[in-house]
Amino acid sequence: WLGTLLRRGETVQIYIQLLFDLAIVTGLAAMTGGRASQFVVFFALVVIAGGLHERLTGGLVTALGASLAYLALPWIAPLLGAATDASAPLDLRGAFLIMVGVLSGILGRRVHRTREHLERTARELNRVMVNNDLILRHLTSGVFTLDRAGMAAYLNPAGEEMLSLRREDVRGRWIQDALPERLRALRDAMLSSLEQQESRSRAEIMVRTPAGHELPLGVSTSLLMHDAAVTGVVAVFQDLTAVREMARRARRNETLAEVGALAAGIAHELRNGLNPISGSVECLQRELKLEGENAQLMELIATESAR
């Protein structure tokens, strides 16, 4: 509702301005010779303005008003105290103004359509840019882009955190200056991909934190293309610290499992040898009536076999 009211108010303002312009041109022409005045040509400019602003309707309305003002010049001039030739013959300027109004209205309609199309395209482009920026901001992987000249163009928040850099400090700078020596491996990977113009699948590199600790990264680079020409390179990277820790734990668990299997095998083999011994001792204890030290030795064998 408010938008419609504002558009109507703008239309009324335009028509008031056009009417004011017609009045000025009419006054100037009436004061300087009427229909023979050199200012008569300004009627066409007002008609063109009406067509461009209000399309065909505005062009026709303004052309009609300009034609009536042109025809009325011999009667308007005396009212302003100017002399004019009331018997001056009519010419085709009125028809010319109508033609100008039609043509300017058609042109105005095309201009408005083009403007609306450009506005829709701009809104769509802005929406896509906002969506892309939101996606990149919420990615857990780092994203770093270079233009064709090797200048840093974009670094998302995840990349800032992993590399301990600020986007404002690297954007628009040559990559050799933007990335410090501790990030040389990443810098070389991106420059190599840009110079050789080839994308690279996931590779592992080692960089360092500001504190000097090693930071393993998994990096993939892709070329940015436009009209079959390379316009830059984008690197997508992830911190592999957690992945490497998981791999270390997996290897440790695998080793422990192998040790457990070995221990179970050893225990099995021990039981295979001890079961006949303990069984034989029990038989001997039932059959033989040993006393003294021999009985103690036989009990020791049974006890230790069980243990």
Side-chain angles (χ1 to χ4, degrees), residues 136 142-147 154 186 189-190 193-194 198-200 219-225 230-237:
L136 292 174
V143 179
F144 193 9
T145 61
L146 299 179
D147 62 16
Y154 181 80
L186 176 61
M190 297 185 69
S193 181
L194 183 62
E198 63 178 9
S199 300
R200 297 187 176 183
V219 181
S220 296
T221 59
S222 300
L223 297 177
L224 300 176
M225 308 291 293
V230 177
T231 59
V233 63
V234 56
V236 180
F237 49 92

Side-chain angles (χ1 to χ4, degrees), residues 77-190:
L79 298 177
L80 299 177
T84 183
D85 185 4
S87 63
L90 291 174
D91 50 25
L92 298 178
R93 292 184 183 178
F96 169 75
L97 291 175
I98 297 296
M99 185 181 300
V100 170
V102 172
L103 294 177
S104 62
I106 295 174
L107 178 60
R109 183 170 58 184
R110 292 183 178 180
V111 169
H112 278 270
R113 287 180 178 177
T114 303
R115 181 183 302 169
E116 291 172 356
H117 177 71
L118 290 176
E119 289 177 353
R120 286 196 301 269
T121 304
R123 287 194 298 268
E124 183 65 20
L125 179 60
N126 184 64
R127 184 185 65 81
V128 171
M129 292 178 63
V130 169
N131 289 343
N132 288 342
D133 186 64
L134 288 176
I135 292 172
L136 292 174
R137 283 182 174 275
H138 289 84
L139 278 179
T140 56
S141 299
V143 179
F144 193 9
T145 61
L146 299 179
D147 62 16
R148 182 170 49 188
M151 306 292 288
Y154 181 80
L155 179 63
N156 71 336
E160 290 180 296
E161 183 178 355
M162 272 185 271
L163 303 180
S164 299
L165 296 174
R166 292 199 312 163
R167 178 170 52 180
E168 295 77 10
D169 296 336
V170 302
R171 189 172 184 178
R173 297 179 61 191
W174 169 241
I175 188 172
Q176 298 283 10
D177 300 326
L179 297 184
E181 186 64 23
R182 62 184 178 84
L183 303 176
R184 181 176 181 178
L186 176 61
R187 180 179 64 197
D188 292 345
M190 297 185 69

Side-chain angles (χ1 to χ4, degrees), residues 2-305:
L2 182 59
T4 302
L5 183 62
L6 289 176
R7 284 193 295 272
R8 290 180 179 177
E10 182 181 359
T11 300
V12 172
Q13 182 180 359
I14 290 174
Y15 277 112
I16 292 175
Q17 182 64 51
L18 292 172
L19 181 62
F20 183 70
D21 293 342
L22 285 176
I24 292 177
V25 174
T26 302
L28 289 175
M31 295 291 293
T32 57
R35 296 173 185 166
S37 172
Q38 60 183 351
F39 291 107
V40 170
V41 71
F42 285 176
F43 280 120
L45 298 180
V46 179
V47 173
I48 292 173
L52 291 178
H53 282 288
E54 292 301 321
R55 308 176 206 184
L56 187 59
T57 301
L60 289 175
V61 170
T62 310
L64 180 61
S67 299
L68 294 176
Y70 172 74
L71 293 175
L73 283 176
W75 294 275
I76 296 176
L79 298 177
L80 299 177
T84 183
D85 185 4
S87 63
L90 291 174
D91 50 25
L92 298 178
R93 292 184 183 178
F96 169 75
L97 291 175
I98 297 296
M99 185 181 300
V100 170
V102 172
L103 294 177
S104 62
I106 295 174
L107 178 60
R109 183 170 58 184
R110 292 183 178 180
V111 169
H112 278 270
R113 287 180 178 177
T114 303
R115 181 183 302 169
E116 291 172 356
H117 177 71
L118 290 176
E119 289 177 353
R120 286 196 301 269
T121 304
R123 287 194 298 268
E124 183 65 20
L125 179 60
N126 184 64
R127 184 185 65 81
V128 171
M129 292 178 63
V130 169
N131 289 343
N132 288 342
D133 186 64
L134 288 176
I135 292 172
L136 292 174
R137 283 182 174 275
H138 289 84
L139 278 179
T140 56
S141 299
V143 179
F144 193 9
T145 61
L146 299 179
D147 62 16
R148 182 170 49 188
M151 306 292 288
Y154 181 80
L155 179 63
N156 71 336
E160 290 180 296
E161 183 178 355
M162 272 185 271
L163 303 180
S164 299
L165 296 174
R166 292 199 312 163
R167 178 170 52 180
E168 295 77 10
D169 296 336
V170 302
R171 189 172 184 178
R173 297 179 61 191
W174 169 241
I175 188 172
Q176 298 283 10
D177 300 326
L179 297 184
E181 186 64 23
R182 62 184 178 84
L183 303 176
R184 181 176 181 178
L186 176 61
R187 180 179 64 197
D188 292 345
M190 297 185 69
L191 285 178
S192 176
S193 181
L194 183 62
E195 292 170 357
Q196 298 178 14
Q197 295 192 0
E198 63 178 9
S199 300
R200 297 187 176 183
S201 58
R202 188 176 184 87
E204 292 189 14
I205 62 174
M206 186 66 67
V207 297
R208 292 187 176 276
T209 64
H213 303 300
E214 290 187 343
L215 177 65
L217 295 180
V219 181
S220 296
T221 59
S222 300
L223 297 177
L224 300 176
M225 308 291 293
H226 181 69
D227 292 337
V230 177
T231 59
V233 63
V234 56
V236 180
F237 49 92
Q238 292 179 325
D239 185 357
L240 299 182
T241 302
V243 176
R244 289 196 170 186
E245 179 63 22
M246 290 176 60
R248 187 188 67 80
R249 290 181 180 179
R251 289 193 299 269
R252 181 173 179 272
N253 291 338
E254 183 179 353
T255 302
L256 292 176
E258 292 175 352
V259 171
L262 177 62
I266 294 174
H268 179 70
E269 294 299 328
L270 289 174
R271 283 196 300 271
N272 288 342
L274 288 173
N275 285 337
I277 295 175
S278 60
S280 300
V281 170
E282 290 179 3
C283 290
L284 291 175
Q285 285 179 326
R286 286 195 301 268
E287 297 294 333
L288 301 178
K289 302 302 180 180
L290 300 177
E291 296 179 357
E293 187 176 356
N294 290 335
Q296 293 178 358
L297 291 175
M298 189 67 70
E299 184 65 29
L300 179 63
I301 293 173
T303 301
E304 292 301 315
S305 295

